[in-house]
Amino acid sequence: MVSGVFLALLLHHMDMKRMLRTMGSEHWHDMALAALCMVASLSIRAGRWHSMLKPFAPTLPLLKCAESFFIGMGANVVLPFRLGDVLRGTVMASRLKVKAVACMTTVILEKLLDLLVVLLIGGLALMLLPKESHAKLFDASGFLIAGGALGVMGFLCFARFFRRPVMAALSWASQRWLQDRSSGNGAGLLTQLEGRLVAAAVHVFDALDAVGQPIRFMKLLVLTVLSWGFEAMAFWLVAIGMPALQNATAAWLAMPVAALSTALPGTPGSIGTLDFFVEKVMFVLDNSRNASTAYAFLVHATILAVPLALALAGIFHASLRHEHLPPIKVHQDMAIMGRDALQMGDEDPNKPD
């Protein structure tokens, strides 16, 4: 439904034949280069995820991690609400032999790093791209967005220092809760619940520790900048390959807006929502509505086709090793996470993996 609404708004009063002719005028070698840039972007992100998981699984092979990453990204294309990220943090955790809580935490930290760099690129694009009108508004917006990126960076750098106060507060609150409510056979269950919560918090802060260390954080930040730089290049290559676009540099702002639009609840692959916002950015920055819409559909097709192809390649490569991938079903994801939580409840929370 969400997709249909945005597509209807996008195609309202659109000359379909003219738009298709505009899409047909695209230089396809530029689209091929854009696809290669997307392959590079996703490959770098797979390497970044492997680096984030290394503290929890030192012997984890890079190729196996990359396969899981590509399959999760492909699932984002075919499942709504970006459930591929949830599957990657739950089902794939068992395949990679990493605790589900730790694995899901790394996925969330990935998203924070992505948000940081996307906001930085968007803020810089707003301030640096040539504007014919409302220049002061664009500059002020860019400054505020870049400030938000610095806030995300501060959280990632300093959140790990809250381990002791948070763990102490959690222990105190759980003890008070146990004293007030435990009686008879329920005491054991409440104690087990406390153990699970503490163990989950330990895994979360272990991930924050791994990311927050200065050298590791800079490495992850560099990889994130490179990955999104390649994705921005893909947007720009599609733009310069379309003769009907008057301002191809608008693609540098369309990329971060497209990335942020995927946060909206929507259909698989953000069909409709991403196209709508990309078209609006291109149109506001002095391109015709027809060319902006054609560009939105072409660049979206490119960034959807690449993760699907990589996911299929990952599945095929796993099948060559006669490895059975976990079934991709949401209710099983939740069951696996619950199983891992039960296992963690029986462990010493202060004992490292």
Side-chain angles (χ1 to χ4, degrees):
M1 181 178 177
V2 174
S3 176
V5 170
F6 279 99
L7 284 175
L9 291 172
L10 182 62
L11 298 175
H12 185 58
H13 294 315
M14 179 62 58
D15 186 340
M16 296 298 296
K17 290 183 179 180
R18 185 181 175 190
M19 186 188 70
L20 290 173
R21 284 197 301 270
T22 303
M23 293 175 67
S25 69
E26 172 74 21
H27 298 155
W28 298 104
H29 61 275
D30 289 317
M31 282 198 70
L33 290 174
L36 290 176
C37 285
M38 285 300 304
V39 171
S41 174
L42 293 173
S43 299
I44 292 171
R45 288 183 214 177
R48 180 188 63 176
W49 193 41
H50 179 257
S51 180
M52 295 176 75
L53 289 173
K54 286 288 282 185
F56 304 101
T59 60
L60 176 63
L62 174 59
L63 185 58
K64 190 172 185 178
C65 180
E67 287 174 358
S68 300
F69 179 84
F70 293 147
I71 292 169
M73 296 303 291
N76 277 338
V77 177
V78 298
L79 295 175
F81 306 111
R82 297 189 67 82
L83 285 177
D85 292 327
V86 178
L87 296 173
R88 182 158 57 93
T90 53
V91 168
M92 292 301 173
S94 63
R95 179 175 184 254
L96 301 175
K97 295 179 172 53
V98 179
K99 293 290 186 182
V101 173
C103 194
M104 195 67 213
T105 302
T106 62
V107 173
I108 294 171
L109 291 175
E110 267 189 344
K111 300 307 171 188
L112 286 173
L113 281 168
D114 290 339
L115 178 63
L116 164 64
V117 172
V118 165
L119 288 176
L120 281 173
I121 293 175
L124 290 173
L126 279 171
M127 290 186 285
L128 299 178
L129 287 180
K131 286 85 63 176
E132 293 187 1
S133 59
H134 306 294
K136 290 184 178 180
L137 176 62
F138 276 82
D139 291 340
S141 301
F143 180 79
L144 290 174
I145 291 172
L150 293 177
V152 175
M153 181 184 293
F155 170 79
L156 290 173
C157 288
F158 299 108
R160 64 195 180 100
F161 296 111
F162 292 96
R163 175 192 280 260
R164 288 192 175 183
V166 169
M167 295 299 294
L170 180 61
S171 178
W172 176 83
S174 61
Q175 290 296 329
R176 289 291 301 270
W177 192 70
L178 282 169
Q179 291 174 4
D180 293 341
R181 291 172 173 78
S182 62
S183 61
N185 295 330
L189 179 61
L190 293 174
T191 302
Q192 190 180 33
L193 176 62
E194 179 198 7
R196 295 175 199 166
L197 291 175
V198 172
V202 167
H203 282 299
V204 170
F205 278 107
D206 283 346
L208 288 171
D209 283 342
V211 173
Q213 294 174 4
I215 295 177
R216 185 178 293 273
F217 178 78
M218 289 306 300
K219 176 185 176 181
L220 295 174
L221 186 60
V222 168
L223 290 174
T224 306
V225 170
L226 284 174
S227 69
W228 284 103
F230 274 111
E231 184 153 337
M233 281 291 293
F235 272 70
W236 180 68
L237 284 166
V238 175
I240 64 173
M242 182 174 289
L245 284 175
Q246 295 178 327
N247 181 15
T249 57
W252 294 99
L253 181 58
M255 188 281 295
V257 171
L260 294 174
S261 72
T262 60
L264 292 174
T267 54
S270 300
I271 295 172
T273 53
L274 185 147
D275 310 279
F276 177 83
F277 287 104
V278 169
E279 185 272 340
K280 292 303 176 189
V281 170
M282 300 300 289
F283 178 69
V284 166
L285 293 176
D286 308 317
N287 292 292
S288 69
R289 188 174 298 278
N290 173 73
S292 299
T293 305
Y295 169 79
F297 284 138
L298 279 180
V299 77
H300 198 178
T302 304
I303 63 176
L304 288 184
V306 172
L308 268 179
L310 290 175
L312 291 174
I315 294 171
F316 177 72
H317 189 267
S319 68
L320 290 179
R321 299 198 309 270
H322 304 289
E323 179 182 355
H324 296 288
L325 294 174
I328 301 179
K329 295 180 181 178
V330 175
H331 68 275
Q332 290 185 353
D333 302 342
M334 299 300 105
I336 289 170
M337 181 172 278
R339 182 199 65 193
D340 286 347
L342 284 170
Q343 292 173 350
M344 286 188 293
D346 297 332
E347 298 173 353
D348 180 1
N350 297 315
K351 181 181 178 181
D353 289 340

